[in-house]
Amino acid sequence: MDKEIFEFFNTDLQFIHGVGPVLASKFDDVLDGRRVLDFLLHAPYYVRPREILDSVTNAQVGDTITISVLVKSHKRGGMFRGRRHPTQIVCADKFAAPVTIQFFNVNYLDYWTEKLPIGQWRIVSGKLDYSNKTGAIINHPEFIETPENAYKIPKHQAIYSSGEGLTQKTFSNVRDQIFKIIHERIATLVISPRMLEFIDALEHVHYPETNDDLAPNGTYMAKLAYCELFAHQTAIAINRCARREQKNQRPIRQKKYDLIEKFYNVLPFQLTNAQQRTIDEIFADFQKPVPMMRLVQGDVGSGKTMVAMAVAVKMAEFGAQTVLLAPTDTLAQQHFAKLAPMCEKLGLVCDVLTGRDKGTIRNEKLISLRSGRTKLAIGTHALFSDDVEYKDLGLVIIDEQHRFGVAQRTAMRTKGNNPDMLALSATPIPRTLSMTVYGDMDISIINEKPAGRIPIKTSKIPMMRVNALIERIAPQIENGAKVFWVCPLVSESEISDMTAAQSRFEELNKRFSHVGLCHGQMDKKERDKVMNEFADPNSKMHVLVSTTVIEVGIDVPSATIMVIENAERFGLAALHQLRGRVGRGSKQSYCILLYGNNVTPDGLKRLDILCETEDGFVIAEQDLMIRGVGELLGTKQSGWIQYHFVNYREHRDLFKLAQMAAMNNNSEDEFWADELRQIFGCSVTAGA
Ligand code: ADP
Ligand code: MG
């Protein structure tokens, strides 16, 4: 009945009026996919009122304000004495207090002077900044309107968490287009009442009037959260049943070669007990007649890659192939660089395949996979392109599991005959939740780190002491230390983020000889190049300034210092992940959390937890208790199952309700449950 509406849900965003392929690709970092549905499932997180102010004096720096100003003069920017100056439009508010509007991209002066002509009143809306020289400043206002057109500035603006290259205007335009089409369809199609209700809830959430509309327990948010949990729980229930019932899904593999002993001999270190226990649990799964579905949870640095390697070697003993799937090119290359020499010693053919491989080289790799010669294939989802075939794919290992969508999982399953699945995740999900969240998977926990790790020294210091910090780390850099310097992506305004990382880069570049910069607006190749140069132990690049695009799981053993600016904006789990990028070598490592002026007492308390412990489980539990997941930056990297509407803390009761409803699922609900599973991408894995 709802087929046509699903058709629209599944439309690629690039076909939405005003979007196109380039803009659509920018949504990749923000949404789970590029469909209309992926957009709809991305709720705004905040409502910004935009009442028009007369006076700038009472507003706080950092606030987004909307104000009437009279344009006084134009100052063209450009390069003067080797420094970049922004273009400035000098204005005054109704009480003659100065307000300067600044544009950093100085090439469009004519465009802006036309929008802000001298002697005229304009309504501008943007984030308030301040300098002693000019007074109030608004950089790149989001709205500039004539007084007659002031109505074009929304009174309640829904603010979406965004990514680099996407403005809030883009979000609202896309949203308006999508709901316009939905209304057209609703008018002409037969749509089930439950679907109508669901769409109605989505619409309320995308056009919120107050922040209560977006609160987890607001009527519509709670409704959507329940739908999402119900979808997820019914999938778990079905999978669990099916797995229990289908006993002889596949023959148990027989050993053909001896490799594992050799593997233990070439290992450069002793496995930890936890690694060994996990490996044993997995080997036991191989002796069962049902395909493995196992999740390995191990804190950053607990040595999950070596577990993956051991398991791949075991598969090779059976003569079968293993795929190790990494979320990014860089990570795939890194795994390959680490594992290929070991494979060589074992006489095992290992290869890497990513989107970068083209032409003959790619073809040769494909032939080797098809013939079964390649036993361990490391790569990105390029490994599941249509033309990639396997002789006998026995095992799929997914590193940093949460980054992969359902579509990819289905693709994987079709490449082999019900291959075993092993997911590696750095998310220490509190045990209280793992049953409901990962109900259809077996879980192994690596709760131990390799011996000899020196605990990372973590400290928090205010942003204003940043110069002292720079001087303190300078001698260490001279001694060869490598530094990650992370600037946050302010989730809604990509311009100021860029400036944050960019200006920090420029500053550090003056102080140190060779600094790298990495952000989401660079193309992937360039980003990889910088990242690889930083990772190279012989390179002179000692400082890498980046936004949060810095890879989950990247391994730079010589990096010993991690600086995180505005650490208070991140989730604890995300900070913990970032911190895990250092402390991997034999030297003492440091993590410095810089906090801004606006930090709250609670924010400081959260940072204290990080200073006190390195135990990922403790941190995850605290993260959950203090703020709930999903409200802070970096939750994507934090590894919790990324629900769209569910708040782990606020919706704890809903988890239970949905679980009970899923278990008693009656046939009346089945149709709707099935639609919800489609909406939320909860795949029914067993028997597929
Ligand atoms: P993660 O669990 O975060 O993926 P990695 O697999 O990247 O961790 O391992 C982190 C580092 O620890 C790597 O450099 C790896 O070679 C090393 N390592 C793994 N297992 C051990 C061990 N048992 N003893 C010593 N070092 C180990
Ligand atoms: Mg890893």
Side-chain angles (χ1 to χ4, degrees), residues 72-78 80 85-90 100-103 106 109 113 118 133-134:
K72 299 275 198 188
S73 67
H74 296 153
K75 285 191 197 161
R76 183 183 284 273
F80 299 117
H85 289 260
T87 287
Q88 296 183 326
I89 315 285
V90 181
T100 301
I101 298 168
Q102 280 194 150
F103 299 96
V106 295
L109 181 71
T113 47
I118 292 174
K133 221 161 120 196
T134 47

PDB file of all heavy atoms in Angstrom, residues 72-78 80 85-90 100-103 106 109 113 118 133-134:
ATOM      1  N   LYS A  72      27.438  51.738   7.002  1.00  0.00           N
ATOM      2  CA  LYS A  72      28.188  53.005   6.999  1.00  0.00           C
ATOM      3  C   LYS A  72      29.290  53.051   5.933  1.00  0.00           C
ATOM      4  O   LYS A  72      29.413  54.027   5.221  1.00  0.00           O
ATOM      5  CB  LYS A  72      28.864  53.198   8.368  1.00  0.00           C
ATOM      6  CG  LYS A  72      27.893  53.280   9.514  1.00  0.00           C
ATOM      7  CD  LYS A  72      27.411  54.697   9.630  1.00  0.00           C
ATOM      8  CE  LYS A  72      26.795  54.918  11.003  1.00  0.00           C
ATOM      9  NZ  LYS A  72      26.161  56.209  11.107  1.00  0.00           N
ATOM     10  N   SER A  73      30.106  52.016   5.880  1.00  0.00           N
ATOM     11  CA  SER A  73      31.199  52.058   4.903  1.00  0.00           C
ATOM     12  C   SER A  73      31.684  50.659   4.557  1.00  0.00           C
ATOM     13  O   SER A  73      31.371  49.692   5.263  1.00  0.00           O
ATOM     14  CB  SER A  73      32.373  52.884   5.454  1.00  0.00           C
ATOM     15  OG  SER A  73      32.936  52.209   6.561  1.00  0.00           O
ATOM     16  N   HIS A  74      32.435  50.596   3.472  1.00  0.00           N
ATOM     17  CA  HIS A  74      32.981  49.317   3.004  1.00  0.00           C
ATOM     18  C   HIS A  74      34.490  49.353   3.059  1.00  0.00           C
ATOM     19  O   HIS A  74      35.099  50.308   2.583  1.00  0.00           O
ATOM     20  CB  HIS A  74      32.579  49.070   1.540  1.00  0.00           C
ATOM     21  CG  HIS A  74      31.105  48.925   1.354  1.00  0.00           C
ATOM     22  ND1 HIS A  74      30.476  49.231   0.180  1.00  0.00           N
ATOM     23  CD2 HIS A  74      30.132  48.503   2.201  1.00  0.00           C
ATOM     24  CE1 HIS A  74      29.173  49.011   0.298  1.00  0.00           C
ATOM     25  NE2 HIS A  74      28.942  48.574   1.522  1.00  0.00           N
ATOM     26  N   LYS A  75      35.113  48.320   3.613  1.00  0.00           N
ATOM     27  CA  LYS A  75      36.576  48.241   3.582  1.00  0.00           C
ATOM     28  C   LYS A  75      36.986  46.964   2.884  1.00  0.00           C
ATOM     29  O   LYS A  75      36.756  45.873   3.403  1.00  0.00           O
ATOM     30  CB  LYS A  75      37.138  48.184   5.012  1.00  0.00           C
ATOM     31  CG  LYS A  75      37.112  49.490   5.754  1.00  0.00           C
ATOM     32  CD  LYS A  75      37.938  49.327   7.022  1.00  0.00           C
ATOM     33  CE  LYS A  75      37.619  50.436   8.003  1.00  0.00           C
ATOM     34  NZ  LYS A  75      38.036  50.075   9.357  1.00  0.00           N
ATOM     35  N   ARG A  76      37.599  47.149   1.719  1.00  0.00           N
ATOM     36  CA  ARG A  76      37.982  45.983   0.939  1.00  0.00           C
ATOM     37  C   ARG A  76      39.134  45.236   1.615  1.00  0.00           C
ATOM     38  O   ARG A  76      40.090  45.848   2.080  1.00  0.00           O
ATOM     39  CB  ARG A  76      38.415  46.432  -0.455  1.00  0.00           C
ATOM     40  CG  ARG A  76      38.770  45.303  -1.396  1.00  0.00           C
ATOM     41  CD  ARG A  76      39.247  45.867  -2.725  1.00  0.00           C
ATOM     42  NE  ARG A  76      38.146  46.351  -3.546  1.00  0.00           N
ATOM     43  CZ  ARG A  76      37.465  45.567  -4.384  1.00  0.00           C
ATOM     44  NH1 ARG A  76      37.751  44.306  -4.501  1.00  0.00           N
ATOM     45  NH2 ARG A  76      36.482  46.063  -5.100  1.00  0.00           N
ATOM     46  N   GLY A  77      39.038  43.915   1.660  1.00  0.00           N
ATOM     47  CA  GLY A  77      40.108  43.122   2.264  1.00  0.00           C
ATOM     48  C   GLY A  77      41.125  42.675   1.232  1.00  0.00           C
ATOM     49  O   GLY A  77      41.057  43.085   0.075  1.00  0.00           O
ATOM     50  N   GLY A  78      42.066  41.849   1.657  1.00  0.00           N
ATOM     51  CA  GLY A  78      43.079  41.343   0.736  1.00  0.00           C
ATOM     52  C   GLY A  78      44.370  41.081   1.481  1.00  0.00           C
ATOM     53  O   GLY A  78      44.392  41.044   2.706  1.00  0.00           O
ATOM     54  N   PHE A  80      47.785  42.290   2.813  1.00  0.00           N
ATOM     55  CA  PHE A  80      48.597  43.463   3.105  1.00  0.00           C
ATOM     56  C   PHE A  80      49.783  43.029   3.935  1.00  0.00           C
ATOM     57  O   PHE A  80      49.604  42.366   4.964  1.00  0.00           O
ATOM     58  CB  PHE A  80      47.804  44.515   3.893  1.00  0.00           C
ATOM     59  CG  PHE A  80      46.603  45.015   3.150  1.00  0.00           C
ATOM     60  CD1 PHE A  80      45.335  44.807   3.662  1.00  0.00           C
ATOM     61  CD2 PHE A  80      46.747  45.686   1.936  1.00  0.00           C
ATOM     62  CE1 PHE A  80      44.217  45.249   2.985  1.00  0.00           C
ATOM     63  CE2 PHE A  80      45.627  46.134   1.266  1.00  0.00           C
ATOM     64  CZ  PHE A  80      44.361  45.917   1.777  1.00  0.00           C
ATOM     65  N   HIS A  85      43.634  40.042   5.207  1.00  0.00           N
ATOM     66  CA  HIS A  85      42.648  40.839   5.922  1.00  0.00           C
ATOM     67  C   HIS A  85      41.269  40.574   5.339  1.00  0.00           C
ATOM     68  O   HIS A  85      41.124  40.507   4.122  1.00  0.00           O
ATOM     69  CB  HIS A  85      42.985  42.324   5.791  1.00  0.00           C
ATOM     70  CG  HIS A  85      44.204  42.714   6.565  1.00  0.00           C
ATOM     71  ND1 HIS A  85      44.138  43.327   7.785  1.00  0.00           N
ATOM     72  CD2 HIS A  85      45.510  42.526   6.291  1.00  0.00           C
ATOM     73  CE1 HIS A  85      45.368  43.523   8.240  1.00  0.00           C
ATOM     74  NE2 HIS A  85      46.226  43.038   7.348  1.00  0.00           N
ATOM     75  N   PRO A  86      40.293  40.454   6.203  1.00  0.00           N
ATOM     76  CA  PRO A  86      38.941  40.219   5.683  1.00  0.00           C
ATOM     77  C   PRO A  86      38.341  41.495   5.118  1.00  0.00           C
ATOM     78  O   PRO A  86      38.788  42.599   5.430  1.00  0.00           O
ATOM     79  CB  PRO A  86      38.172  39.786   6.934  1.00  0.00           C
ATOM     80  CG  PRO A  86      38.909  40.384   8.072  1.00  0.00           C
ATOM     81  CD  PRO A  86      40.351  40.481   7.663  1.00  0.00           C
ATOM     82  N   THR A  87      37.344  41.316   4.287  1.00  0.00           N
ATOM     83  CA  THR A  87      36.557  42.466   3.855  1.00  0.00           C
ATOM     84  C   THR A  87      35.610  42.840   4.989  1.00  0.00           C
ATOM     85  O   THR A  87      34.994  41.972   5.597  1.00  0.00           O
ATOM     86  CB  THR A  87      35.763  42.095   2.591  1.00  0.00           C
ATOM     87  OG1 THR A  87      36.678  42.036   1.509  1.00  0.00           O
ATOM     88  CG2 THR A  87      34.689  43.114   2.295  1.00  0.00           C
ATOM     89  N   GLN A  88      35.512  44.139   5.261  1.00  0.00           N
ATOM     90  CA  GLN A  88      34.666  44.569   6.377  1.00  0.00           C
ATOM     91  C   GLN A  88      33.598  45.540   5.903  1.00  0.00           C
ATOM     92  O   GLN A  88      33.883  46.468   5.140  1.00  0.00           O
ATOM     93  CB  GLN A  88      35.516  45.249   7.452  1.00  0.00           C
ATOM     94  CG  GLN A  88      36.524  44.303   8.078  1.00  0.00           C
ATOM     95  CD  GLN A  88      37.301  44.964   9.194  1.00  0.00           C
ATOM     96  OE1 GLN A  88      37.585  46.148   9.134  1.00  0.00           O
ATOM     97  NE2 GLN A  88      37.633  44.182  10.217  1.00  0.00           N
ATOM     98  N   ILE A  89      32.387  45.288   6.356  1.00  0.00           N
ATOM     99  CA  ILE A  89      31.297  46.224   6.096  1.00  0.00           C
ATOM    100  C   ILE A  89      30.988  46.850   7.448  1.00  0.00           C
ATOM    101  O   ILE A  89      30.519  46.154   8.360  1.00  0.00           O
ATOM    102  CB  ILE A  89      30.041  45.503   5.571  1.00  0.00           C
ATOM    103  CG1 ILE A  89      30.393  44.480   4.486  1.00  0.00           C
ATOM    104  CG2 ILE A  89      28.994  46.499   5.125  1.00  0.00           C
ATOM    105  CD1 ILE A  89      30.737  45.021   3.153  1.00  0.00           C
ATOM    106  N   VAL A  90      31.281  48.132   7.590  1.00  0.00           N
ATOM    107  CA  VAL A  90      31.093  48.775   8.891  1.00  0.00           C
ATOM    108  C   VAL A  90      29.663  49.292   8.990  1.00  0.00           C
ATOM    109  O   VAL A  90      29.178  50.000   8.103  1.00  0.00           O
ATOM    110  CB  VAL A  90      32.097  49.934   9.067  1.00  0.00           C
ATOM    111  CG1 VAL A  90      31.922  50.575  10.433  1.00  0.00           C
ATOM    112  CG2 VAL A  90      33.520  49.416   8.886  1.00  0.00           C
ATOM    113  N   THR A 100      30.469  45.329  12.943  1.00  0.00           N
ATOM    114  CA  THR A 100      31.216  45.116  11.712  1.00  0.00           C
ATOM    115  C   THR A 100      30.885  43.749  11.143  1.00  0.00           C
ATOM    116  O   THR A 100      30.876  42.757  11.870  1.00  0.00           O
ATOM    117  CB  THR A 100      32.730  45.195  11.990  1.00  0.00           C
ATOM    118  OG1 THR A 100      32.999  46.480  12.527  1.00  0.00           O
ATOM    119  CG2 THR A 100      33.524  45.000  10.710  1.00  0.00           C
ATOM    120  N   ILE A 101      30.585  43.749   9.864  1.00  0.00           N
ATOM    121  CA  ILE A 101      30.299  42.467   9.221  1.00  0.00           C
ATOM    122  C   ILE A 101      31.522  42.074   8.407  1.00  0.00           C
ATOM    123  O   ILE A 101      32.025  42.879   7.614  1.00  0.00           O
ATOM    124  CB  ILE A 101      29.049  42.590   8.350  1.00  0.00           C
ATOM    125  CG1 ILE A 101      27.873  42.939   9.272  1.00  0.00           C
ATOM    126  CG2 ILE A 101      28.766  41.290   7.610  1.00  0.00           C
ATOM    127  CD1 ILE A 101      26.658  43.369   8.541  1.00  0.00           C
ATOM    128  N   GLN A 102      32.024  40.874   8.644  1.00  0.00           N
ATOM    129  CA  GLN A 102      33.282  40.469   8.020  1.00  0.00           C
ATOM    130  C   GLN A 102      33.103  39.298   7.077  1.00  0.00           C
ATOM    131  O   GLN A 102      32.358  38.357   7.377  1.00  0.00           O
ATOM    132  CB  GLN A 102      34.280  40.042   9.109  1.00  0.00           C
ATOM    133  CG  GLN A 102      34.951  41.183   9.775  1.00  0.00           C
ATOM    134  CD  GLN A 102      36.156  40.747  10.603  1.00  0.00           C
ATOM    135  OE1 GLN A 102      37.072  41.512  10.728  1.00  0.00           O
ATOM    136  NE2 GLN A 102      36.166  39.556  11.162  1.00  0.00           N
ATOM    137  N   PHE A 103      33.834  39.357   5.970  1.00  0.00           N
ATOM    138  CA  PHE A 103      33.859  38.237   5.036  1.00  0.00           C
ATOM    139  C   PHE A 103      35.301  37.853   4.773  1.00  0.00           C
ATOM    140  O   PHE A 103      36.123  38.710   4.459  1.00  0.00           O
ATOM    141  CB  PHE A 103      33.190  38.624   3.722  1.00  0.00           C
ATOM    142  CG  PHE A 103      31.745  38.995   3.872  1.00  0.00           C
ATOM    143  CD1 PHE A 103      31.368  40.324   3.991  1.00  0.00           C
ATOM    144  CD2 PHE A 103      30.774  38.010   3.918  1.00  0.00           C
ATOM    145  CE1 PHE A 103      30.029  40.668   4.141  1.00  0.00           C
ATOM    146  CE2 PHE A 103      29.436  38.349   4.063  1.00  0.00           C
ATOM    147  CZ  PHE A 103      29.062  39.673   4.177  1.00  0.00           C
ATOM    148  N   VAL A 106      37.560  37.124   0.151  1.00  0.00           N
ATOM    149  CA  VAL A 106      37.491  38.522  -0.253  1.00  0.00           C
ATOM    150  C   VAL A 106      37.186  38.732  -1.732  1.00  0.00           C
ATOM    151  O   VAL A 106      37.138  39.845  -2.204  1.00  0.00           O
ATOM    152  CB  VAL A 106      38.803  39.254   0.098  1.00  0.00           C
ATOM    153  CG1 VAL A 106      38.970  39.302   1.596  1.00  0.00           C
ATOM    154  CG2 VAL A 106      39.991  38.567  -0.545  1.00  0.00           C
ATOM    155  N   LEU A 109      33.611  40.884  -3.057  1.00  0.00           N
ATOM    156  CA  LEU A 109      33.282  42.171  -2.453  1.00  0.00           C
ATOM    157  C   LEU A 109      32.054  42.813  -3.102  1.00  0.00           C
ATOM    158  O   LEU A 109      31.147  43.281  -2.428  1.00  0.00           O
ATOM    159  CB  LEU A 109      34.481  43.119  -2.534  1.00  0.00           C
ATOM    160  CG  LEU A 109      34.197  44.476  -1.886  1.00  0.00           C
ATOM    161  CD1 LEU A 109      34.112  44.338  -0.378  1.00  0.00           C
ATOM    162  CD2 LEU A 109      35.250  45.502  -2.264  1.00  0.00           C
ATOM    163  N   THR A 113      28.781  44.094  -1.225  1.00  0.00           N
ATOM    164  CA  THR A 113      28.464  45.525  -1.136  1.00  0.00           C
ATOM    165  C   THR A 113      27.094  45.790  -1.753  1.00  0.00           C
ATOM    166  O   THR A 113      26.376  46.675  -1.323  1.00  0.00           O
ATOM    167  CB  THR A 113      29.533  46.381  -1.847  1.00  0.00           C
ATOM    168  OG1 THR A 113      29.795  45.806  -3.121  1.00  0.00           O
ATOM    169  CG2 THR A 113      30.808  46.436  -1.042  1.00  0.00           C
ATOM    170  N   ILE A 118      25.730  51.174   1.224  1.00  0.00           N
ATOM    171  CA  ILE A 118      25.958  52.241   2.208  1.00  0.00           C
ATOM    172  C   ILE A 118      24.705  53.114   2.333  1.00  0.00           C
ATOM    173  O   ILE A 118      24.047  53.438   1.344  1.00  0.00           O
ATOM    174  CB  ILE A 118      27.183  53.083   1.793  1.00  0.00           C
ATOM    175  CG1 ILE A 118      28.435  52.226   1.916  1.00  0.00           C
ATOM    176  CG2 ILE A 118      27.310  54.336   2.664  1.00  0.00           C
ATOM    177  CD1 ILE A 118      29.691  52.864   1.400  1.00  0.00           C
ATOM    178  N   LYS A 133      39.386  46.190  18.684  1.00  0.00           N
ATOM    179  CA  LYS A 133      39.590  47.216  17.682  1.00  0.00           C
ATOM    180  C   LYS A 133      38.278  47.687  17.065  1.00  0.00           C
ATOM    181  O   LYS A 133      38.021  48.880  16.966  1.00  0.00           O
ATOM    182  CB  LYS A 133      40.496  46.647  16.580  1.00  0.00           C
ATOM    183  CG  LYS A 133      41.525  47.651  16.094  1.00  0.00           C
ATOM    184  CD  LYS A 133      42.660  46.946  15.371  1.00  0.00           C
ATOM    185  CE  LYS A 133      42.744  47.436  13.942  1.00  0.00           C
ATOM    186  NZ  LYS A 133      43.555  46.515  13.131  1.00  0.00           N
ATOM    187  N   THR A 134      37.446  46.734  16.694  1.00  0.00           N
ATOM    188  CA  THR A 134      36.241  47.117  15.951  1.00  0.00           C
ATOM    189  C   THR A 134      34.959  47.054  16.769  1.00  0.00           C
ATOM    190  O   THR A 134      33.952  47.607  16.369  1.00  0.00           O
ATOM    191  CB  THR A 134      36.056  46.193  14.738  1.00  0.00           C
ATOM    192  OG1 THR A 134      36.236  44.860  15.181  1.00  0.00           O
ATOM    193  CG2 THR A 134      37.031  46.509  13.641  1.00  0.00           C
TER     194      THR A 134
END
